[in-house]
Amino acid sequence: MLVRARRSVRKFDREMPVPDDAVRRSIELALLSPNSSNMQLWHLTWVRDPAVRERMVTLCMGQNAAKTASHLVVFQTRQDLWRRHAKWNLEQAPPSSGSGPDERRMKLMRKYYGVLMPLAYRSDPFGLNTLVRRLGSFLLGLTRPVMRLGGSGWQRVILHKSCALAAQTFMLAIQAEGYDTCPMEGFDAVRVKKLLALHRGADICMIVAVGNGTPAGVYGERRRLPTEEVLTII
Ligand SMILES: Cc1cc2nc3c(=O)[nH]c(=O)nc-3n(C[C@H](O)[C@H](O)[C@H](O)COP(=O)(O)O)c2cc1C
Protein backbone atom coordinates (compact mmCIF):
# COMPACT_ATOMS: atom_id res chain seq x y z
CA MET A 1 0.00 0.00 0.00
CA LEU A 2 1.35 3.38 -1.05
CA VAL A 3 0.78 5.11 2.26
CA ARG A 4 2.61 2.39 4.19
CA ALA A 5 5.41 2.13 1.65
CA ARG A 6 6.21 5.85 1.66
CA ARG A 7 9.08 6.82 3.92
CA SER A 8 11.12 9.97 4.13
CA VAL A 9 14.30 8.91 2.34
CA ARG A 10 17.46 10.93 2.92
CA LYS A 11 19.91 9.19 0.59
CA PHE A 12 19.19 8.57 -3.05
CA ASP A 13 21.10 6.65 -5.69
CA ARG A 14 22.53 9.32 -7.97
CA GLU A 15 23.53 6.70 -10.52
CA MET A 16 19.85 5.93 -11.14
CA PRO A 17 18.13 9.29 -11.57
CA VAL A 18 14.36 9.64 -11.66
CA PRO A 19 13.12 10.26 -15.22
CA ASP A 20 11.58 13.65 -15.94
CA ASP A 21 8.37 11.99 -17.13
CA ALA A 22 7.69 10.47 -13.71
CA VAL A 23 8.11 13.86 -12.04
CA ARG A 24 5.93 15.59 -14.64
CA ARG A 25 3.12 13.02 -14.18
CA SER A 26 3.33 13.35 -10.40
CA ILE A 27 3.17 17.14 -10.62
CA GLU A 28 0.03 16.87 -12.77
CA LEU A 29 -1.52 14.62 -10.09
CA ALA A 30 -0.44 16.95 -7.29
CA LEU A 31 -2.39 19.73 -8.98
CA LEU A 32 -5.56 17.63 -8.64
CA SER A 33 -5.33 17.90 -4.86
CA PRO A 34 -8.23 19.28 -2.90
CA ASN A 35 -7.67 22.95 -2.17
CA SER A 36 -9.52 25.72 -0.42
CA SER A 37 -12.38 27.04 -2.62
CA ASN A 38 -10.52 25.73 -5.68
CA MET A 39 -8.49 28.93 -5.55
CA GLN A 40 -5.28 26.98 -6.31
CA LEU A 41 -3.12 29.60 -4.66
CA TRP A 42 0.03 27.57 -5.14
CA HIS A 43 3.02 27.47 -7.40
CA LEU A 44 5.59 24.74 -7.93
CA THR A 45 9.18 25.25 -8.98
CA TRP A 46 10.78 22.10 -10.31
CA VAL A 47 14.56 22.28 -9.94
CA ARG A 48 15.90 20.00 -12.67
CA ASP A 49 19.05 21.83 -13.61
CA PRO A 50 21.95 20.02 -11.87
CA ALA A 51 23.90 23.25 -11.44
CA VAL A 52 21.00 24.98 -9.65
CA ARG A 53 20.30 21.82 -7.64
CA GLU A 54 23.91 21.83 -6.52
CA ARG A 55 23.56 25.41 -5.28
CA MET A 56 20.39 24.44 -3.44
CA VAL A 57 22.26 21.90 -1.27
CA THR A 58 23.87 24.50 0.99
CA LEU A 59 20.58 26.39 1.19
CA CYS A 60 18.92 23.16 2.34
CA MET A 61 21.45 23.09 5.18
CA GLY A 62 23.55 20.48 3.40
CA GLN A 63 20.93 17.81 3.99
CA ASN A 64 21.69 14.42 2.40
CA ALA A 65 18.26 14.32 0.79
CA ALA A 66 19.04 17.53 -1.11
CA LYS A 67 22.63 16.45 -1.82
CA THR A 68 21.63 13.18 -3.48
CA ALA A 69 18.24 14.09 -5.01
CA SER A 70 17.63 13.84 -8.77
CA HIS A 71 15.01 16.60 -8.52
CA LEU A 72 13.79 19.15 -6.03
CA VAL A 73 10.28 20.49 -6.14
CA VAL A 74 9.59 23.70 -4.25
CA PHE A 75 5.96 24.00 -3.17
CA GLN A 76 4.91 27.60 -2.62
CA THR A 77 1.76 29.44 -1.66
CA ARG A 78 0.78 32.50 -3.68
CA GLN A 79 -1.72 34.64 -1.83
CA ASP A 80 -1.04 37.53 -4.21
CA LEU A 81 -2.85 35.62 -6.98
CA TRP A 82 -6.24 35.59 -5.26
CA ARG A 83 -7.88 38.18 -7.53
CA ARG A 84 -6.74 36.47 -10.71
CA HIS A 85 -7.80 33.01 -9.52
CA ALA A 86 -11.18 34.20 -8.25
CA LYS A 87 -11.77 35.70 -11.70
CA TRP A 88 -10.65 32.47 -13.37
CA ASN A 89 -13.11 30.48 -11.25
CA LEU A 90 -15.88 32.87 -12.23
CA GLU A 91 -15.04 32.39 -15.87
CA GLN A 92 -15.51 28.63 -15.47
CA ALA A 93 -19.20 29.15 -14.64
CA PRO A 94 -21.69 28.06 -17.33
CA PRO A 95 -22.90 30.87 -19.62
CA SER A 96 -25.92 32.71 -18.33
CA SER A 97 -29.20 31.27 -19.60
CA GLY A 98 -31.47 33.74 -17.83
CA SER A 99 -33.13 31.10 -15.62
CA GLY A 100 -32.89 27.50 -14.47
CA PRO A 101 -30.21 25.65 -12.48
CA ASP A 102 -27.31 27.08 -14.53
CA GLU A 103 -28.42 30.62 -13.74
CA ARG A 104 -28.76 29.76 -10.03
CA ARG A 105 -25.29 28.22 -10.10
CA MET A 106 -23.90 31.28 -11.82
CA LYS A 107 -25.44 33.58 -9.19
CA LEU A 108 -23.96 31.42 -6.45
CA MET A 109 -20.52 31.46 -8.05
CA ARG A 110 -20.71 35.22 -8.52
CA LYS A 111 -21.45 35.59 -4.84
CA TYR A 112 -18.77 33.11 -3.84
CA TYR A 113 -15.91 34.34 -5.99
CA GLY A 114 -17.07 37.94 -6.36
CA VAL A 115 -17.97 38.69 -2.73
CA LEU A 116 -16.80 35.97 -0.34
CA MET A 117 -13.28 35.50 -1.74
CA PRO A 118 -12.46 39.23 -1.68
CA LEU A 119 -13.81 39.32 1.86
CA ALA A 120 -11.53 36.44 2.85
CA TYR A 121 -8.34 37.38 0.98
CA ARG A 122 -8.26 41.17 0.78
CA SER A 123 -5.66 42.77 3.00
CA ASP A 124 -4.40 46.29 3.67
CA PRO A 125 -1.48 47.77 5.59
CA PHE A 126 -3.70 49.09 8.38
CA GLY A 127 -5.46 45.80 9.09
CA LEU A 128 -8.90 47.27 8.35
CA ASN A 129 -9.97 44.22 6.37
CA THR A 130 -8.92 41.97 9.22
CA LEU A 131 -10.92 44.11 11.62
CA VAL A 132 -14.00 43.85 9.39
CA ARG A 133 -13.57 40.07 9.09
CA ARG A 134 -13.09 39.57 12.82
CA LEU A 135 -15.86 41.92 13.87
CA GLY A 136 -18.26 40.56 11.26
CA SER A 137 -17.58 36.96 12.33
CA PHE A 138 -17.98 37.88 15.97
CA LEU A 139 -21.27 39.73 15.51
CA LEU A 140 -22.81 37.13 13.20
CA GLY A 141 -21.49 34.39 15.45
CA LEU A 142 -23.48 35.71 18.41
CA THR A 143 -26.64 34.16 17.02
CA ARG A 144 -25.55 31.40 14.65
CA PRO A 145 -22.59 29.26 13.62
CA VAL A 146 -20.25 31.17 11.30
CA MET A 147 -16.86 30.55 9.80
CA ARG A 148 -14.50 32.67 11.90
CA LEU A 149 -12.49 34.75 9.45
CA GLY A 150 -9.24 36.27 10.63
CA GLY A 151 -6.06 38.10 9.74
CA SER A 152 -2.90 37.34 7.82
CA GLY A 153 -2.01 34.35 10.03
CA TRP A 154 -5.40 32.82 9.32
CA GLN A 155 -5.01 33.45 5.58
CA ARG A 156 -1.55 31.91 5.61
CA VAL A 157 -2.80 28.76 7.33
CA ILE A 158 -5.53 28.37 4.71
CA LEU A 159 -2.99 28.55 1.89
CA HIS A 160 -0.46 26.23 3.50
CA LYS A 161 -3.11 23.56 4.20
CA SER A 162 -3.88 23.27 0.50
CA CYS A 163 -0.27 23.48 -0.57
CA ALA A 164 0.79 20.76 1.87
CA LEU A 165 -1.94 18.51 0.48
CA ALA A 166 -0.53 19.04 -3.01
CA ALA A 167 2.92 18.11 -1.69
CA GLN A 168 1.52 14.94 -0.14
CA THR A 169 -0.26 13.97 -3.35
CA PHE A 170 3.00 14.55 -5.19
CA MET A 171 4.91 12.31 -2.78
CA LEU A 172 2.36 9.50 -3.09
CA ALA A 173 2.34 9.82 -6.86
CA ILE A 174 6.15 9.56 -6.97
CA GLN A 175 5.86 6.53 -4.70
CA ALA A 176 3.43 4.97 -7.17
CA GLU A 177 6.03 5.58 -9.91
CA GLY A 178 8.48 3.49 -7.88
CA TYR A 179 10.65 6.33 -6.54
CA ASP A 180 11.11 8.08 -3.22
CA THR A 181 10.88 11.50 -1.62
CA CYS A 182 11.80 13.53 1.41
CA PRO A 183 9.78 16.60 2.38
CA MET A 184 11.99 19.32 3.80
CA GLU A 185 11.41 22.45 5.83
CA GLY A 186 15.05 22.72 6.77
CA PHE A 187 16.15 25.40 4.32
CA ASP A 188 16.96 29.09 4.15
CA ALA A 189 13.75 30.47 2.66
CA VAL A 190 15.20 33.92 1.97
CA ARG A 191 18.16 32.57 0.00
CA VAL A 192 16.10 29.91 -1.81
CA LYS A 193 13.67 32.60 -2.95
CA LYS A 194 16.55 34.67 -4.22
CA LEU A 195 18.38 31.83 -5.98
CA LEU A 196 15.28 30.56 -7.75
CA ALA A 197 13.99 34.09 -8.41
CA LEU A 198 10.66 33.15 -6.86
CA HIS A 199 7.87 35.69 -7.01
CA ARG A 200 7.91 38.09 -4.06
CA GLY A 201 4.40 36.90 -3.14
CA ALA A 202 5.63 33.31 -2.83
CA ASP A 203 5.80 31.69 0.59
CA ILE A 204 7.62 28.36 0.54
CA CYS A 205 5.57 25.58 2.10
CA MET A 206 8.13 22.81 1.71
CA ILE A 207 10.76 21.48 -0.65
CA VAL A 208 10.39 17.87 -1.75
CA ALA A 209 13.55 15.98 -2.66
CA VAL A 210 12.95 13.21 -5.22
CA GLY A 211 15.20 10.29 -6.00
CA ASN A 212 15.79 6.61 -6.22
CA GLY A 213 15.92 5.61 -2.57
CA THR A 214 18.66 3.50 -1.05
CA PRO A 215 18.19 1.34 2.07
CA ALA A 216 20.72 3.56 3.88
CA GLY A 217 18.41 6.51 3.19
CA VAL A 218 15.75 5.24 5.57
CA TYR A 219 16.80 6.28 9.03
CA GLY A 220 15.40 3.46 11.15
CA GLU A 221 12.00 2.04 11.92
CA ARG A 222 8.92 4.15 11.40
CA ARG A 223 7.72 5.28 14.82
CA ARG A 224 4.32 6.74 15.62
CA LEU A 225 2.61 7.59 18.88
CA PRO A 226 -0.06 5.11 19.94
CA THR A 227 -3.27 5.82 18.02
CA GLU A 228 -5.29 6.19 21.22
CA GLU A 229 -3.04 9.05 22.26
CA VAL A 230 -3.82 11.12 19.18
CA LEU A 231 -7.36 10.01 18.44
CA THR A 232 -10.56 11.00 20.19
CA ILE A 233 -13.72 9.20 19.22
CA ILE A 234 -16.92 10.88 20.30
C1 LIG B 1 6.57 19.71 6.66
C2 LIG B 1 7.65 18.68 6.83
C3 LIG B 1 8.96 19.08 6.90
C4 LIG B 1 9.99 18.15 7.01
N1 LIG B 1 11.28 18.58 6.99
C5 LIG B 1 12.27 17.67 6.96
C6 LIG B 1 13.61 18.10 6.77
O1 LIG B 1 13.92 19.27 6.61
N2 LIG B 1 14.57 17.14 6.74
C7 LIG B 1 14.29 15.82 6.87
O2 LIG B 1 15.23 15.02 6.83
N3 LIG B 1 13.02 15.40 7.04
C8 LIG B 1 12.01 16.28 7.08
N4 LIG B 1 10.71 15.86 7.19
C9 LIG B 1 10.42 14.43 7.26
C10 LIG B 1 9.98 14.01 8.66
O3 LIG B 1 11.07 14.02 9.53
C11 LIG B 1 9.35 12.61 8.55
O4 LIG B 1 8.20 12.70 7.76
C12 LIG B 1 8.99 12.03 9.91
O5 LIG B 1 10.14 11.79 10.67
C13 LIG B 1 8.23 10.71 9.76
O6 LIG B 1 8.96 9.76 8.99
P1 LIG B 1 8.36 9.10 7.66
O7 LIG B 1 8.06 10.22 6.70
O8 LIG B 1 9.44 8.19 7.14
O9 LIG B 1 7.13 8.36 8.05
C14 LIG B 1 9.68 16.77 7.10
C15 LIG B 1 8.35 16.37 7.04
C16 LIG B 1 7.34 17.31 6.89
C17 LIG B 1 5.93 16.85 6.77
Side-chain angles (χ1 to χ4, degrees):
M1 192 204 188
L2 278 183
V3 175
R4 287 199 189 281
R6 187 213 56 80
R7 291 297 314 273
S8 293
V9 176
R10 277 79 178 212
K11 277 185 198 151
F12 303 108
D13 185 349
R14 293 202 85 170
E15 302 303 312
M16 294 175 65
V18 177
D20 284 357
D21 283 357
V23 179
R24 163 67 69 173
R25 281 192 294 271
S26 302
I27 286 177
E28 297 293 351
L29 292 176
L31 298 178
L32 299 182
S33 301
N35 66 93
S36 181
S37 302
N38 202 31
M39 286 286 277
Q40 303 165 68
L41 294 170
W42 51 36
H43 189 88
L44 278 56
T45 300
W46 173 8
V47 182
R48 254 181 20 173
D49 182 331
V52 181
R53 216 174 50 227
E54 211 54 48
R55 294 179 67 189
M56 284 287 285
V57 175
T58 351
L59 307 191
C60 292
M61 324 321 297
Q63 295 195 51
N64 280 330
K67 220 181 267 176
T68 57
S70 315
H71 307 265
L72 296 171
V73 182
V74 183
F75 286 80
Q76 307 138 59
T77 65
R78 286 289 304 273
Q79 186 178 343
D80 57 297
L81 294 175
W82 74 263
R83 276 190 188 81
R84 194 202 289 181
H85 291 199
K87 186 167 171 277
W88 177 87
N89 269 294
L90 261 179
E91 287 162 4
Q92 308 307 307
S96 176
S97 57
S99 62
D102 275 358
E103 185 59 20
R104 274 200 299 279
R105 194 169 144 70
M106 181 69 198
K107 270 194 188 139
L108 218 92
M109 283 184 78
R110 252 187 242 130
K111 219 167 151 181
Y112 198 86
Y113 291 106
V115 180
L116 196 65
M117 288 301 102
L119 184 68
Y121 284 111
R122 198 174 278 141
S123 56
D124 62 276
F126 306 107
L128 292 178
N129 284 285
T130 299
L131 196 69
V132 169
R133 277 194 291 271
R134 288 224 170 100
L135 199 64
S137 303
F138 172 74
L139 292 174
L140 284 171
L142 289 174
T143 51
R144 61 186 165 104
V146 290
M147 193 176 157
R148 309 285 165 158
L149 312 184
S152 59
W154 169 80
Q155 290 171 327
R156 214 170 157 221
V157 168
I158 287 188
L159 266 59
H160 279 271
K161 283 186 233 181
S162 297
C163 196
L165 284 175
Q168 172 71 349
T169 305
F170 175 73
M171 290 190 279
L172 292 177
I174 286 283
Q175 190 75 35
E177 294 275 357
Y179 303 104
D180 300 280
T181 55
C182 183
M184 296 185 293
E185 62 193 352
F187 54 81
D188 181 331
V190 173
R191 288 191 164 86
V192 170
K193 271 185 89 167
K194 201 167 164 201
L195 174 68
L196 304 180
L198 303 186
H199 191 276
R200 72 188 157 81
D203 189 10
I204 304 177
C205 174
M206 68 185 94
I207 301 178
V208 178
V210 181
N212 218 316
T214 61
V218 179
Y219 295 172
E221 292 283 297
R222 172 131 71 185
R223 293 195 187 84
R224 290 296 190 266
L225 292 163
T227 303
E228 298 319 318
E229 213 170 290
V230 296
L231 172 72
T232 302
I233 304 176
I234 294 173

